[in-house]
Amino acid sequence: MNPGRPPRILIVDDMPAIHEDFRKILVPPEATALDDLEATLFGAAVSPVAEHFELDSAYQGREALDMVVAARDAGRPYAFAFVDMRMPPGWNGVETIERLRKVDPVLPVVICTAYSDHSWEEIGDRIGGEDGAVILRKPVDPGKVREIAIHLAGRPHAGPPAGD
């Protein structure tokens, strides 16, 4: 990641409303005139979101793969990805993660699901171990999403060298 730039997070889900939910949780609202006045009066801006993230959206696994490759080639890899387990009609979450890991073997992922389609052991076997994956149950808890994002965005992840 580039110093001074917010960590990039990829959201992979077939439901546009889910992308909007993540934006509401992880992207601070634009400062208002009232915020500016508060900063002037009290000396510091008060923001409900202390950390800033850059979010990108993919609605299917193939699109996510293209985005991870482009981010890597541009020298701005994703800090991690939230990946939905069910994304008809395309790849499911496990297949998406398998393919993402082929181009970025150390990309941390958060598997988002309301269902138990696969056991944790099966998921770990298919995506190359449980180290780089977390399961987040839907409906998501905003506090848990922020906690995971802050933790994973703080982990070093430079991605593989461009062109690998």
Side-chain angles (χ1 to χ4, degrees):
M1 277 179 276
N2 297 342
R5 295 189 81 165
R8 295 179 78 193
I9 300 171
L10 180 60
I11 311 296
V12 188
D13 197 297
D14 61 318
M15 302 292 294
I18 299 296
H19 293 262
E20 185 57 32
D21 290 344
F22 278 105
R23 286 196 189 294
K24 288 176 185 173
I25 295 168
L26 297 173
V27 177
E30 294 297 320
T32 65
L34 186 57
D35 293 328
D36 293 340
L37 178 60
E38 183 177 10
T40 301
L41 292 173
F42 299 109
V46 177
S47 172
V49 180
E51 296 77 18
H52 297 275
F53 303 101
E54 182 180 327
L55 303 184
D56 289 336
S57 293
Y59 296 90
Q60 290 291 312
R62 290 179 196 272
E63 181 183 15
L65 180 62
D66 292 343
M67 293 174 76
V68 167
V69 170
R72 176 201 66 193
D73 291 348
R76 291 202 59 229
Y78 289 101
F80 68 95
F82 285 105
V83 180
D84 185 31
M85 187 58 76
R86 291 186 176 178
M87 295 180 285
W91 303 335
N92 68 25
V94 175
E95 184 172 359
T96 297
I97 294 165
E98 286 175 318
R99 291 174 186 252
L100 295 179
R101 289 274 173 85
K102 286 181 181 175
V103 297
D104 188 348
V106 295
L107 177 68
V109 294
V110 179
I111 299 168
C112 303
T113 186
Y115 308 99
S116 298
D117 294 343
H118 305 278
S119 71
W120 184 237
E121 292 79 21
E122 178 187 353
I123 292 169
D125 289 345
R126 288 189 59 190
I127 66 172
E130 300 169 5
D131 289 349
V134 173
I135 293 181
L136 178 64
R137 296 279 179 210
K138 288 182 176 179
V140 300
D141 173 82
K144 190 62 147 172
V145 169
R146 292 214 27 83
E147 179 184 317
I148 290 169
I150 292 165
H151 173 73
L152 290 178
R155 292 175 67 185
H157 171 249
D164 278 2

